Amino acid sequence: MNYEKIFSKVQTTINNYIDNGTVATYIPELGNVDATKFGVFLTTVKGEHVSLENYNEKFSIQSISKVLSLALAYGLEGEKLWKRVGVEPSGTPFNSLFQLENDLGIPRNPLINAGAIVVCDVLISHLNNPKKDFLEFVHRISGNSSITYSERIANSEKLKGFRNNALVNFMKTFENIDNDIDEIMDFYFNLCSIEMTCEELSKTFLFLANKGVCPFSKEKILSKSKCKRINSIMQLCGFYDEAGEFSFRVGLPGKSGVGGGIVAIYPNKYSIAVWSPKLNKRGNSSKGIEFLEHFTTETKASIF
Amino acid sequence: MNYEKIFSKVQTTINNYIDNGTVATYIPELGNVDATKFGVFLTTVKGEHVSLENYNEKFSIQSISKVLSLALAYGLEGEKLWKRVGVEPSGTPFNSLFQLENDLGIPRNPLINAGAIVVCDVLISHLNNPKKDFLEFVHRISGNSSITYSERIANSEKLKGFRNNALVNFMKTFENIDNDIDEIMDFYFNLCSIEMTCEELSKTFLFLANKGVCPFSKEKILSKSKCKRINSIMQLCGFYDEAGEFSFRVGLPGKSGVGGGIVAIYPNKYSIAVWSPKLNKRGNSSKGIEFLEHFTTETKASIF
Amino acid sequence: MNYEKIFSKVQTTINNYIDNGTVATYIPELGNVDATKFGVFLTTVKGEHVSLENYNEKFSIQSISKVLSLALAYGLEGEKLWKRVGVEPSGTPFNSLFQLENDLGIPRNPLINAGAIVVCDVLISHLNNPKKDFLEFVHRISGNSSITYSERIANSEKLKGFRNNALVNFMKTFENIDNDIDEIMDFYFNLCSIEMTCEELSKTFLFLANKGVCPFSKEKILSKSKCKRINSIMQLCGFYDEAGEFSFRVGLPGKSGVGGGIVAIYPNKYSIAVWSPKLNKRGNSSKGIEFLEHFTTETKASIF
Amino acid sequence: MNYEKIFSKVQTTINNYIDNGTVATYIPELGNVDATKFGVFLTTVKGEHVSLENYNEKFSIQSISKVLSLALAYGLEGEKLWKRVGVEPSGTPFNSLFQLENDLGIPRNPLINAGAIVVCDVLISHLNNPKKDFLEFVHRISGNSSITYSERIANSEKLKGFRNNALVNFMKTFENIDNDIDEIMDFYFNLCSIEMTCEELSKTFLFLANKGVCPFSKEKILSKSKCKRINSIMQLCGFYDEAGEFSFRVGLPGKSGVGGGIVAIYPNKYSIAVWSPKLNKRGNSSKGIEFLEHFTTETKASIF
């Protein structure tokens, strides 16, 4: 497949796209970003890569890191993990607290905030130095030891973290939280603050397109079965209440973040990262989804 | 792939499976079925087929027919269809009425009852003789003109159809129902009453594994894009609130019915139908899911 | 207490009231009413009465009749009635179907639609000729045999009755409906269609201010205990999700209807009926509540 | 009315009452109480008083103190208070977070936890030394300066306060919390820890039966109108999702606490406090309600 040619064609198409999205502003650090930024980076499991525009600029990956913490926790905890968090889509967003109440403190999946907080709790129970150990895991799978947290963003998130504080306290009432709440939330807010370029993001997720094996080091990060299951969870739960729409339009497992990043996986083929800060009403990068829809249409290939 | 050998191996494994499920009994016609029945039939897009046990006995496909009515309606109505019904997973089952209220009468997807009722309404607006025309569509895609409704089951469903009557009346208050309620419900209950064998079910769904082209007549039933989108909807919404679990364990798009049938698709490869009447707590065939999980594990192939 | 003087004073005050309400229009028969109509009638247990403006014009009492059907059913069925319907306030309006689902088909109270439908079902089980027998009950308690149903309104309600049809079908799935659905709904829509003047309404409800004894015939309609309990239910559930606000502002048990009528009771003292067709956002007569608030303030007497 | 004789009669009746309730155990301090304790104290606005059994033992009044903080806040803040918290019953208990989400952070009433937390926030904005100033208010209305917080219970509540922490954080996301969360929760947990005897409780609430005037000092604590409104709120919201049942059975405004206390008011007549630690399924003293039902039946007087 000539990805370069397809990128070029989609880039032309997308030039006419009128983006009615808006940049996330709940913390100033996100609101200050240049809304016109746009970058794409694709890496194949064979080592090819293609890029577009601002592919080499750092942005806040935000919720995308929830997949990485899930991968580490699933490897450490195994199938016991699913007693603490489900694998089902979450339905409408405003339901989160309602469903948590209804499901007795078990979040519906590990990619919504409540589920990611439980995953942090699990990691703290396993790791000696959670923040440091997690970063080392990211370095291992990405082959890039420069990736790190943004202390500024983590602190800013913490100051606005009332809803997440509500979630963790609420789950504690159902005894689905083991460790100290402050430690969990510090870890959680740091995870969300990780910054990557499209290139780094694409490479970091490539092991999920490669049966769980890091394509750079050849290290087996996850079993093939666990790798598939994470992809399945991304497919069903990666875009909040727009998971169906993304699957319908793009046809690939993926994950978005409010920083405007999206990463998607074509199993056994490639990992692609897109970045455009303006978000649609459901909190996902509007131009990012538009690009990916045209891209999979042009490649004539989706998993379905 | 030697599917025969894999079938044989999985059959042996599954022999030890202790099935704690229970047969659906809300209408006597379903409750009277022999709970020990078990059949499997796989058809590849190349024309191979493999079968197991009671693959040649008729059973009530129930909600599986919702995919067929969706396919016909999507072809006739096009993308306008999605103004009447969504493509998102539905969350917990008991939410159905609640979510319908919250979403102003727009069902979350066409594979839950409310959505399938809207699809029936759309079909009635398009077809001269809905029940007859729909059956002809099923004959076309299956290459089998003997498939038909069970009047006995349709009547029995109608007598117990209070919840579905509640749904259609409720959607009418939001003006998402155009035609006569009694006509819609008669059509809906007939759709649910269709009976097929595993062989027939597998063959009927093969066009969805074959880019929308009927593998027997070579007729194009749906565009490639529409075909993929229906597969995406099955992946995210085909198993009620167990969609995530099915995707996680089996990794294929599929649809279940309370008659104990399941059909699953591997795009570009095969369609597989399983039948075992005992249902798990979430209303899906327990042994059926177990078989499919072992089957995709043995084939070492899922879409993820 | 000089009620005449107080009426006159409140009338002056209320003249300046800017009514931002809107007349109910979901059926044309309600929408066609003259929005400027305003009537009040007070009857004391001692036989005094005071009136204002259009007190002698008929209007559709709508949901106010739910108290009358409750009174008849409670007398016939006794405390067993509370196995079929609760006595708790219903919370927000849009919850109705949700709460019905959550409470397994038991409506929260007999003054919301679902509860009133159950009461109709109970009455049909007791009465030979429900519509005729109910009307005779109303004639007995009001001392007025001219009160009757409006066939025109009943038929109009029936044509728009999808939500109520949804409720009755839904409760049937929980086996909280015994009789034929069509018969229940015909009875229900007729109850809602009763027309009274303010004078008739005030007199009809006077037995509830008089310990259950009809003040005209001296007939004991309900035991003192049952009478108090109906007043308690009106206090907590008589104004949908505005029950607290009405109790807070007016301090009396009462019931409203979308025709713009309100009736309120001061136990052992009086029954007062107000009519003004414009409704506030919660479906209760805005000028009606305003009048009653000023009235109880001027009388310096509420039950609290 | 010969209250002494009635007390004696009801005491005899109630001796046969089989109490299936259970003592609250979520904090050890409540669980350790003697479950057989039973006390009653009635004070009339004319200064009469009658008592039964353990009327002179201290117990934790818990949520009953929410009425006192409301009274103080309402006096200080006036009608602006109702922009921060509603006056409507709350429906089912598990809805609390759901309704808070639906109502954009405005609690339904000041007697559920979320509402009482907002009231604490309001008080902190008004008072120099909230804990000290509130206690002085209690001393003023009760004419008893020995009433105080239980530090032991406040600390114990704090350790188990995850759900309340969830509520305050959640309301903060809707900007319905002004002050420091830790300060609010410290104040809130202290309020819940106040201990009184039945005698003290009965006397403390007597001003609400006396048009807002403290019967001991003759000081006007609240305007007559504000006093009535607090009674209305107690009537509709004082017993969580059992408000209707309590109103139905007892017919008086009142408030319960998980320590097994109940206080009820007969406007212009009396204040009565009951204590029995075993709670029914809805968290209200079962024997307490039973006593009050028989008591108001015997007095042949309720507000309805």
Side-chain angles (χ1 to χ4, degrees):
Chain A
M1 184 96 43
N2 188 335
Y3 290 117
E4 197 136 1
K5 199 169 155 193
I6 292 172
F7 262 44
S8 169
K9 184 170 176 193
V10 177
Q11 190 183 22
T12 307
T13 309
I14 212 106
N15 266 342
N16 302 312
Y17 178 66
I18 295 160
D19 193 342
N20 294 314
T22 47
V23 173
T25 55
Y26 71 98
I27 57 169
E29 285 71 13
L30 290 178
N32 291 338
V33 81
D34 177 351
T36 66
K37 293 289 181 183
F38 180 64
V40 191
F41 200 93
L42 176 145
T43 319
T44 71
V45 295
K46 295 177 185 159
E48 303 155 280
H49 53 86
V50 200
S51 64
L52 275 185
E53 307 188 21
N54 312 117
Y55 74 90
N56 204 23
E57 287 190 34
K58 293 268 189 189
F59 61 92
S60 186
I61 71 166
Q62 293 285 324
S63 290
I64 298 175
S65 65
K66 290 178 168 70
V67 180
L68 304 176
S69 48
L70 168 63
L72 181 55
Y74 191 13
L76 291 167
E77 182 84 358
E79 305 305 326
K80 290 202 310 291
L81 181 61
W82 312 117
K83 293 186 178 169
R84 303 276 306 274
V85 58
V87 296
E88 299 298 333
S90 60
T92 58
F94 86 94
N95 273 351
S96 52
L97 270 161
F98 169 63
Q99 289 189 325
L100 211 45
E101 194 150 21
N102 196 57
D103 295 340
L104 304 178
I106 306 296
R108 302 219 86 203
N109 67 65
L111 302 186
I112 51 173
N113 289 13
I117 289 169
V118 166
V119 167
C120 284
D121 187 38
V122 168
L123 284 176
I124 288 172
S125 297
H126 279 283
L127 304 175
N128 287 324
N129 190 334
K131 283 197 276 187
K132 186 164 158 286
D133 297 350
F134 177 73
L135 215 49
E136 284 175 5
F137 173 70
V138 175
H139 295 168
R140 256 169 66 210
I141 60 177
S142 64
N144 179 336
S145 63
S146 77
I147 294 167
T148 190
Y149 306 118
S150 161
E151 208 178 314
R152 205 167 37 91
I153 287 187
N155 287 336
S156 200
E157 298 272 6
K158 214 173 287 183
L159 289 172
K160 295 283 188 175
F162 303 111
R163 192 184 180 94
N164 290 313
N165 289 340
L167 290 171
V168 71
N169 273 287
F170 193 47
M171 291 191 288
K172 182 82 180 176
T173 67
F174 291 105
E175 301 182 359
N176 196 20
I177 291 292
D178 293 334
N179 295 287
D180 178 70
I181 283 179
D182 289 340
E183 188 182 358
I184 295 168
M185 296 320 291
D186 177 65
F187 186 29
Y188 176 79
F189 290 126
N190 269 277
L191 290 190
C192 294
S193 80
I194 286 181
E195 294 180 322
M196 295 193 191
T197 67
C198 285
E199 179 172 354
E200 288 165 347
L201 182 56
S202 165
K203 288 181 174 168
T204 303
F205 272 71
L206 197 53
F207 79 103
L208 290 172
N210 197 37
K211 299 175 178 140
V213 176
C214 175
F216 315 112
S217 66
K218 311 302 173 199
E219 185 193 355
K220 183 164 203 155
I221 306 297
L222 282 179
S223 73
K224 193 177 161 190
S225 159
K226 285 197 173 68
C227 172
K228 284 171 161 202
R229 288 175 169 198
I230 286 177
N231 288 342
S232 165
I233 292 170
M234 280 202 286
Q235 184 83 30
L236 273 79
C237 319
F239 289 78
Y240 311 108
D241 55 324
E242 199 174 33
E245 184 81 9
F246 185 81
S247 181
F248 185 88
R249 288 174 60 187
V250 177
L252 297 178
K255 183 75 198 85
S256 67
V258 291
I262 297 177
V263 65
I265 294 298
Y266 197 127
N268 306 318
K269 294 201 175 158
Y270 61 74
S271 159
I272 183 169
V274 191
W275 173 48
S276 167
K278 288 191 183 174
L279 309 179
N280 64 21
K281 284 180 185 161
R282 283 160 156 180
N284 301 310
S285 172
S286 49
K287 193 172 175 182
I289 293 180
E290 189 75 10
F291 180 89
L292 289 169
E293 180 175 11
H294 286 287
F295 175 70
T296 55
T297 301
E298 290 298 327
T299 59
K300 296 193 175 56
S302 84
I303 62 171
F304 294 119
Chain B
M1 185 95 46
N2 189 334
Y3 290 118
E4 197 136 1
K5 198 168 154 193
I6 292 172
F7 262 45
S8 170
K9 185 169 176 194
V10 177
Q11 190 183 22
T12 309
T13 310
I14 211 103
N15 265 343
N16 302 313
Y17 179 65
I18 296 160
D19 194 342
N20 293 315
T22 47
V23 173
T25 55
Y26 71 100
I27 57 170
E29 284 73 12
L30 290 177
N32 291 339
V33 81
D34 177 350
T36 66
K37 292 290 181 182
F38 180 64
V40 192
F41 199 93
L42 175 146
T43 321
T44 70
V45 294
K46 296 178 185 159
E48 304 154 281
H49 52 84
V50 200
S51 64
L52 277 185
E53 308 188 23
N54 311 116
Y55 73 91
N56 203 23
E57 287 191 33
K58 293 269 189 189
F59 61 91
S60 187
I61 70 167
Q62 293 286 325
S63 291
I64 298 174
S65 66
K66 290 178 169 72
V67 180
L68 304 175
S69 47
L70 168 63
L72 181 55
Y74 192 14
L76 292 168
E77 182 83 1
E79 305 305 326
K80 291 200 310 291
L81 181 61
W82 312 119
K83 294 186 176 169
R84 303 276 307 274
V85 59
V87 296
E88 299 298 332
S90 61
T92 57
F94 85 94
N95 273 350
S96 53
L97 271 161
F98 169 62
Q99 289 190 323
L100 212 45
E101 194 150 24
N102 197 56
D103 295 341
L104 304 177
I106 307 296
R108 302 220 85 202
N109 67 63
L111 302 185
I112 52 174
N113 290 12
I117 288 169
V118 167
V119 167
C120 284
D121 186 39
V122 168
L123 285 175
I124 287 173
S125 296
H126 280 282
L127 303 175
N128 287 324
N129 190 332
K131 283 196 277 187
K132 187 165 157 286
D133 297 349
F134 177 74
L135 216 49
E136 283 176 7
F137 173 71
V138 174
H139 295 168
R140 256 167 69 209
I141 61 177
S142 64
N144 180 336
S145 63
S146 77
I147 294 167
T148 190
Y149 306 118
S150 161
E151 209 178 315
R152 207 168 34 90
I153 287 188
N155 288 336
S156 200
E157 298 272 7
K158 215 173 288 185
L159 289 172
K160 295 283 189 177
F162 303 111
R163 191 184 180 94
N164 290 314
N165 289 340
L167 290 172
V168 71
N169 273 287
F170 193 47
M171 291 191 287
K172 183 80 178 177
T173 67
F174 291 105
E175 301 182 356
N176 196 20
I177 291 294
D178 293 333
N179 295 288
D180 178 70
I181 282 178
D182 288 341
E183 188 183 358
I184 296 168
M185 296 319 293
D186 177 65
F187 186 27
Y188 176 80
F189 290 127
N190 269 278
L191 290 191
C192 295
S193 80
I194 287 180
E195 294 180 324
M196 296 192 190
T197 67
C198 286
E199 179 172 354
E200 290 165 345
L201 182 56
S202 165
K203 288 180 173 168
T204 303
F205 271 70
L206 197 53
F207 79 104
L208 290 172
N210 197 38
K211 300 174 177 140
V213 176
C214 174
F216 315 113
S217 67
K218 310 301 175 200
E219 186 194 354
K220 183 166 203 152
I221 307 297
L222 281 181
S223 72
K224 193 177 160 190
S225 159
K226 285 196 173 69
C227 173
K228 284 170 161 202
R229 290 177 168 196
I230 286 178
N231 289 342
S232 165
I233 291 171
M234 281 203 286
Q235 185 83 30
L236 271 79
C237 320
F239 289 78
Y240 311 107
D241 55 323
E242 198 174 33
E245 184 82 8
F246 186 80
S247 180
F248 185 90
R249 288 174 59 186
V250 177
L252 297 177
K255 183 73 197 87
S256 67
V258 291
I262 297 177
V263 65
I265 296 298
Y266 196 127
N268 307 317
K269 296 201 174 160
Y270 61 74
S271 159
I272 183 169
V274 190
W275 174 49
S276 167
K278 287 191 184 175
L279 308 179
N280 65 20
K281 284 180 186 163
R282 283 161 156 179
N284 302 308
S285 171
S286 49
K287 193 172 176 182
I289 293 179
E290 188 76 9
F291 180 88
L292 289 169
E293 180 176 11
H294 285 289
F295 175 70
T296 56
T297 302
E298 289 300 328
T299 59
K300 295 192 176 54
S302 85
I303 62 171
F304 294 119
Chain C
M1 184 97 44
N2 189 334
Y3 289 118
E4 197 137 358
K5 198 169 155 194
I6 292 172
F7 263 44
S8 171
K9 184 170 175 192
V10 176
Q11 189 182 23
T12 308
T13 309
I14 210 106
N15 264 343
N16 302 312
Y17 178 65
I18 295 160
D19 192 341
N20 294 313
T22 48
V23 173
T25 55
Y26 71 99
I27 57 169
E29 284 71 13
L30 290 178
N32 292 338
V33 81
D34 176 352
T36 65
K37 292 289 181 184
F38 179 64
V40 192
F41 200 93
L42 176 145
T43 320
T44 71
V45 295
K46 295 176 185 161
E48 304 154 281
H49 52 84
V50 200
S51 64
L52 276 185
E53 307 188 22
N54 312 116
Y55 73 91
N56 203 23
E57 286 190 34
K58 293 267 189 190
F59 61 91
S60 188
I61 71 165
Q62 293 285 323
S63 290
I64 298 174
S65 66
K66 291 178 168 71
V67 181
L68 304 175
S69 48
L70 168 63
L72 181 55
Y74 192 14
L76 291 167
E77 182 84 0
E79 305 304 327
K80 290 201 312 289
L81 181 61
W82 312 118
K83 294 187 177 170
R84 304 276 307 274
V85 59
V87 295
E88 299 298 332
S90 62
T92 57
F94 85 93
N95 274 349
S96 52
L97 271 161
F98 169 63
Q99 289 189 325
L100 211 44
E101 194 150 23
N102 196 57
D103 295 340
L104 303 177
I106 306 296
R108 302 219 84 203
N109 67 65
L111 301 186
I112 52 174
N113 289 13
I117 289 168
V118 166
V119 166
C120 284
D121 187 38
V122 168
L123 285 175
I124 288 172
S125 297
H126 280 282
L127 303 174
N128 287 323
N129 190 333
K131 282 196 277 187
K132 185 164 160 287
D133 297 350
F134 177 75
L135 216 48
E136 284 175 5
F137 173 71
V138 175
H139 295 167
R140 257 168 68 210
I141 61 177
S142 63
N144 180 335
S145 62
S146 77
I147 294 167
T148 189
Y149 305 118
S150 161
E151 209 178 313
R152 205 167 35 90
I153 287 187
N155 287 336
S156 200
E157 298 272 7
K158 215 173 286 184
L159 289 172
K160 295 282 188 177
F162 303 111
R163 192 184 179 92
N164 289 314
N165 289 340
L167 290 172
V168 71
N169 273 288
F170 193 48
M171 289 190 291
K172 182 82 179 176
T173 67
F174 292 104
E175 302 181 357
N176 195 20
I177 292 294
D178 293 334
N179 295 287
D180 178 69
I181 283 178
D182 288 340
E183 188 182 359
I184 295 168
M185 295 319 292
D186 177 65
F187 186 29
Y188 176 81
F189 290 125
N190 269 278
L191 291 190
C192 295
S193 80
I194 287 180
E195 294 179 322
M196 295 193 190
T197 66
C198 285
E199 178 172 355
E200 289 165 347
L201 183 55
S202 165
K203 288 180 173 168
T204 304
F205 272 71
L206 197 55
F207 79 103
L208 290 172
N210 198 38
K211 298 176 179 142
V213 176
C214 175
F216 316 112
S217 66
K218 311 300 174 201
E219 185 194 354
K220 182 166 202 151
I221 307 297
L222 281 179
S223 73
K224 193 179 160 189
S225 159
K226 285 197 173 67
C227 173
K228 284 171 160 203
R229 289 177 167 195
I230 286 178
N231 289 342
S232 166
I233 291 171
M234 282 203 285
Q235 184 84 30
L236 273 78
C237 319
F239 290 78
Y240 311 107
D241 54 324
E242 199 175 32
E245 184 81 10
F246 186 81
S247 180
F248 186 88
R249 288 174 60 187
V250 177
L252 297 178
K255 182 75 197 85
S256 67
V258 291
I262 298 177
V263 65
I265 295 298
Y266 197 126
N268 306 317
K269 294 200 176 157
Y270 61 74
S271 159
I272 182 168
V274 190
W275 173 49
S276 167
K278 288 191 183 174
L279 308 179
N280 64 20
K281 284 181 184 162
R282 283 161 156 180
N284 300 309
S285 172
S286 48
K287 192 173 175 181
I289 293 180
E290 189 75 11
F291 180 89
L292 290 169
E293 181 176 9
H294 286 288
F295 174 70
T296 55
T297 302
E298 290 298 328
T299 58
K300 294 194 176 54
S302 85
I303 62 171
F304 294 119
Chain D
M1 183 100 40
N2 189 334
Y3 290 117
E4 197 136 0
K5 198 167 154 194
I6 292 172
F7 262 45
S8 169
K9 184 169 177 193
V10 177
Q11 188 183 23
T12 307
T13 309
I14 210 102
N15 266 343
N16 301 314
Y17 179 66
I18 295 159
D19 193 341
N20 293 315
T22 48
V23 173
T25 56
Y26 72 99
I27 57 169
E29 284 73 12
L30 291 177
N32 291 339
V33 80
D34 177 350
T36 65
K37 292 289 181 182
F38 180 64
V40 191
F41 199 93
L42 176 145
T43 320
T44 70
V45 295
K46 296 178 185 159
E48 305 154 280
H49 52 86
V50 200
S51 64
L52 276 184
E53 307 189 22
N54 312 115
Y55 73 91
N56 204 24
E57 287 191 33
K58 294 267 189 190
F59 61 90
S60 187
I61 70 167
Q62 293 286 324
S63 291
I64 298 174
S65 66
K66 291 178 168 71
V67 180
L68 304 175
S69 47
L70 169 63
L72 181 54
Y74 193 13
L76 291 168
E77 182 83 1
E79 304 305 327
K80 290 199 313 288
L81 181 62
W82 312 117
K83 293 186 178 171
R84 303 277 308 274
V85 58
V87 296
E88 299 297 334
S90 61
T92 57
F94 86 93
N95 273 349
S96 53
L97 270 160
F98 170 62
Q99 288 189 325
L100 212 45
E101 193 150 23
N102 197 56
D103 294 341
L104 304 178
I106 307 296
R108 302 219 85 201
N109 67 64
L111 302 185
I112 53 174
N113 289 13
I117 289 169
V118 167
V119 167
C120 284
D121 186 37
V122 168
L123 285 175
I124 288 173
S125 296
H126 280 282
L127 304 175
N128 287 324
N129 190 333
K131 284 196 276 188
K132 187 163 157 287
D133 297 350
F134 177 74
L135 215 49
E136 283 174 7
F137 173 72
V138 175
H139 295 168
R140 256 168 68 210
I141 60 177
S142 63
N144 180 336
S145 63
S146 77
I147 294 168
T148 190
Y149 306 118
S150 161
E151 209 180 313
R152 205 168 35 91
I153 286 187
N155 287 336
S156 200
E157 298 273 6
K158 215 173 287 184
L159 289 172
K160 295 284 189 177
F162 302 111
R163 192 183 180 93
N164 289 314
N165 289 340
L167 290 172
V168 71
N169 274 287
F170 193 46
M171 290 190 288
K172 182 79 179 180
T173 68
F174 292 104
E175 301 182 358
N176 196 19
I177 291 294
D178 294 332
N179 295 288
D180 178 70
I181 282 179
D182 288 342
E183 188 182 358
I184 296 168
M185 296 318 293
D186 177 65
F187 186 29
Y188 176 80
F189 290 126
N190 269 279
L191 290 191
C192 295
S193 81
I194 287 180
E195 294 180 323
M196 295 193 190
T197 67
C198 286
E199 178 172 356
E200 289 165 346
L201 182 56
S202 165
K203 289 180 173 169
T204 303
F205 272 71
L206 197 54
F207 78 103
L208 290 172
N210 197 38
K211 300 176 178 138
V213 176
C214 174
F216 314 113
S217 67
K218 310 302 174 199
E219 185 193 356
K220 184 166 202 152
I221 307 296
L222 280 180
S223 72
K224 193 177 160 189
S225 160
K226 285 198 173 67
C227 173
K228 284 170 160 201
R229 290 176 168 198
I230 286 178
N231 289 342
S232 166
I233 292 171
M234 282 202 285
Q235 184 84 28
L236 272 79
C237 319
F239 289 78
Y240 312 106
D241 55 324
E242 199 176 31
E245 184 81 10
F246 185 80
S247 180
F248 186 90
R249 290 173 59 187
V250 177
L252 297 177
K255 182 74 197 88
S256 67
V258 290
I262 297 177
V263 66
I265 294 299
Y266 197 127
N268 307 317
K269 295 201 174 157
Y270 60 74
S271 159
I272 182 169
V274 190
W275 173 49
S276 167
K278 287 192 184 175
L279 309 179
N280 65 20
K281 284 181 185 163
R282 284 160 155 181
N284 301 309
S285 171
S286 49
K287 193 172 176 183
I289 293 179
E290 190 75 10
F291 180 89
L292 289 170
E293 181 176 11
H294 286 288
F295 175 71
T296 56
T297 302
E298 290 298 328
T299 58
K300 295 193 176 54
S302 84
I303 62 170
F304 294 118

